[in-house]
Amino acid sequence: MNHSAPLQPYAELHCLSSFTFQRGASQPEELITRAAALGYTALAITDECSLAGVVRAWRAAREHGVKLLVGAEVRLADGPHLVLLATDRAAYGCLSALISLGRGRSAKGGYRLTREDLEAGVPGCLALLIPASEYPDDGARWFAYRFRGRGYLAVELVHGDDDATRCRRLEAMAAVLGLPPVAAAGAEMHVRGRRALHDTLAAIRRRRPVAEIAGDLAPNGERHLRRRETLQQTYPRRLLERTVEVAARCAFELDELRYEYPEEIVPNGVTPAAHLIRLVTEGAERRYPEGAPRHIRAAWERELALIAELGYEHYFLTVHDIVRFARKRGILCQGRGSAANSVVCYCLGITEVDPARQSVLFERFISRERGEPPDIDVDFEHHRREEVIQYIY
């Protein structure tokens, strides 16, 4: 090994945060900050059957300029241990649905997934096999078939008795299975100094004192984000290079997520803007049967123009639809708060405060500077609220 060689770019593909309870010993922000300090190309947050830590990691990643890979680790009840990484928005949706399925089958804090649940291969997701041994078994063969073209064999070397031999065996196993081998750490802390906390978490998980489980604890503190110099001394170059290749296949960014409103609330062949204008116009005729005052008409035209500029038509139409449902069922409801400042909300029947009878400031409700849809708070009578919840669901 030439120790003077330039440092190899590296992306960590398997890393647990504190949101993997009683295993991860570092906060998502600590992991991202450490990855940035080490010069990692990317860092995957792959908590066990959970996406709970990725929002905090994403905020830190934006601050430090580190590419965040979104994924999850899962252990199948009848199969292998694997890591799934979302490559795009659709893949993130499939991964989220899989996690919801597994969590919904178990008591709080647990999950249960089987091979059958992954028959479709979790479309769009890349997968890393965390091998149970250094030789192919039934679970590894199933994985290789199910994730052909999207699967990798993770080579996790943590300064064991003979890492070089383990690496050769895992690469041989990968060749038999037709899986590209890739370096990974399976990190559970950002620095080695968290070893004491990591051991304590293991003891809590087993509900026994640390001293009584000494033989079951990790043999060293290498399950942390290691320096690239150390990685170059531990792994063949080709395995490090492949981590960056895998990271490059993951294009999903958490800020791609947006509100997704029901499409069926807009009639076919009609734009959301046109439908909203029609509903507001019809509502104004009911509210002001003798004709709306000039300043009120000017106000709703100004509001509609701003709503169109910001693209919030679907939001207003969705709230209108929910209120319409409640009123049709005789469920008492009332919009409140700053929504009462809106002529559009009044015409849609969301609020009952006539803006013509008060001096209101619409900008308290919606503005260009806010950068997100306004809050429209609607109260429903408590003993029938579940009917509304079920309609929304």
Side-chain angles (χ1 to χ4, degrees):
M1 175 71 70
N2 181 2
H3 297 294
S4 63
L7 290 178
Q8 174 68 34
Y10 178 74
E12 182 51 62
L13 305 176
H14 182 201
C15 179
L16 305 182
S17 80
S18 55
F19 283 87
T20 299
F21 301 125
Q22 299 175 8
R23 284 181 66 199
S26 295
Q27 300 290 335
E29 299 90 337
E30 293 175 316
L31 293 162
I32 291 291
T33 302
R34 181 61 175 166
L38 294 172
Y40 284 13
T41 301
L43 177 69
I45 297 296
T46 56
D47 285 308
E48 186 169 4
C49 201
S50 174
L51 297 170
V54 298
V55 173
R56 285 169 54 177
W58 171 70
R59 289 173 179 159
R62 287 196 303 175
E63 178 182 348
H64 292 283
V66 175
K67 180 177 180 179
L68 172 67
L69 310 183
V70 176
E73 173 193 290
V74 294
R75 298 171 185 267
L76 302 184
D78 61 347
H81 178 193
L82 61 152
V83 170
L84 298 168
L85 300 172
T87 61
D88 55 25
R89 171 65 183 84
Y92 173 83
C94 292
L95 179 57
S96 298
L98 181 71
I99 290 171
S100 297
L101 175 67
R103 292 291 182 183
R105 285 182 178 156
S106 184
K108 185 175 180 179
Y111 70 96
R112 188 177 191 279
L113 291 169
T114 65
R115 296 187 198 184
E116 184 178 0
D117 300 318
L118 277 72
E119 278 304 301
V122 198
C125 284
L126 304 182
L128 275 64
L129 172 67
I130 312 299
S133 72
E134 298 167 2
Y135 303 97
D137 59 15
D138 177 64
R141 293 187 180 90
W142 171 87
F143 175 91
Y145 171 78
R146 183 57 55 209
F147 290 96
R148 184 71 61 190
R150 294 184 290 124
Y152 299 83
L153 190 143
V155 178
E156 299 189 350
L157 307 177
V158 288
H159 288 218
D161 294 336
D162 190 348
D163 277 351
T165 298
R166 174 173 169 79
C167 185
R168 287 195 299 271
R169 287 175 177 171
L170 288 176
E171 287 196 275
M173 174 180 171
V176 170
L177 295 171
L179 293 172
V182 64
E188 299 183 355
M189 46 194 167
H190 71 296
V191 292
R192 187 185 286 107
R194 286 291 169 86
R195 171 77 187 277
L197 174 59
H198 190 260
D199 289 349
T200 302
L201 292 173
I204 293 171
R205 187 167 69 248
R206 292 171 173 78
R207 299 185 179 185
R208 294 170 60 192
V210 172
E212 291 184 8
I213 64 165
D216 297 328
L217 296 174
N220 55 42
E222 293 304 308
R223 290 281 185 184
H224 69 278
L225 299 180
R226 287 171 283 179
R227 296 180 181 277
R228 287 188 291 155
E229 295 92 337
T230 302
L231 294 169
Q232 285 192 187
Q233 296 167 17
T234 304
Y235 289 96
R237 182 183 182 89
R238 58 188 174 275
L239 268 61
L240 298 176
E241 290 176 341
R242 190 163 285 127
T243 66
V244 180
E245 295 171 8
V246 173
R249 295 182 67 179
C250 299
F252 174 66
E253 296 279 354
L254 209 61
D255 56 5
E256 294 177 41
L257 301 180
R258 294 289 185 272
Y259 292 109
E260 296 184 13
Y261 301 106
E263 296 180 358
E264 61 269 22
I265 60 177
V266 180
N268 291 331
V270 180
T271 66
H275 187 47
L276 181 61
I277 290 171
R278 183 178 69 80
L279 292 175
V280 170
T281 302
E282 292 174 354
E285 292 174 355
R286 290 192 300 271
R287 293 296 198 186
Y288 306 102
E290 297 180 1
R294 183 178 300 174
H295 73 283
I296 289 295
R297 182 178 295 275
W300 86 54
E301 289 177 353
R302 179 169 59 91
E303 290 182 25
L304 285 171
L306 183 57
I307 290 168
E309 177 187 336
L310 299 175
Y312 294 160
E313 294 95 341
H314 255 114
Y315 176 72
F316 281 83
L317 291 171
T318 301
V319 177
H320 165 266
D321 184 72
I322 295 168
V323 170
R324 178 203 57 79
F325 165 81
R327 295 230 164 98
K328 184 178 179 182
R329 291 289 188 93
I331 301 171
L332 297 177
C333 64
Q334 176 65 59
R336 58 178 174 83
S338 61
N341 298 353
S342 167
V343 177
V344 166
C345 285
Y346 180 62
C347 292
L348 290 175
I350 295 170
T351 60
E352 293 299 323
V353 177
D354 184 356
R357 299 178 181 274
Q358 60 177 338
S359 176
V360 297
L361 183 64
F362 175 68
E363 284 70 19
R364 285 188 59 232
F365 174 57
I366 184 173
S367 67
R368 293 179 182 86
E369 291 73 22
R370 184 172 182 175
E372 61 182 16
D375 291 326
I376 300 179
D377 298 320
V378 183
D379 291 326
F380 299 92
E381 55 179 313
H382 69 91
H383 64 285
R384 300 192 65 187
R385 194 173 297 150
E386 185 61 27
E387 294 177 53
V388 181
I389 292 173
Q390 289 303 316
Y391 175 69
I392 293 171
Y393 179 79

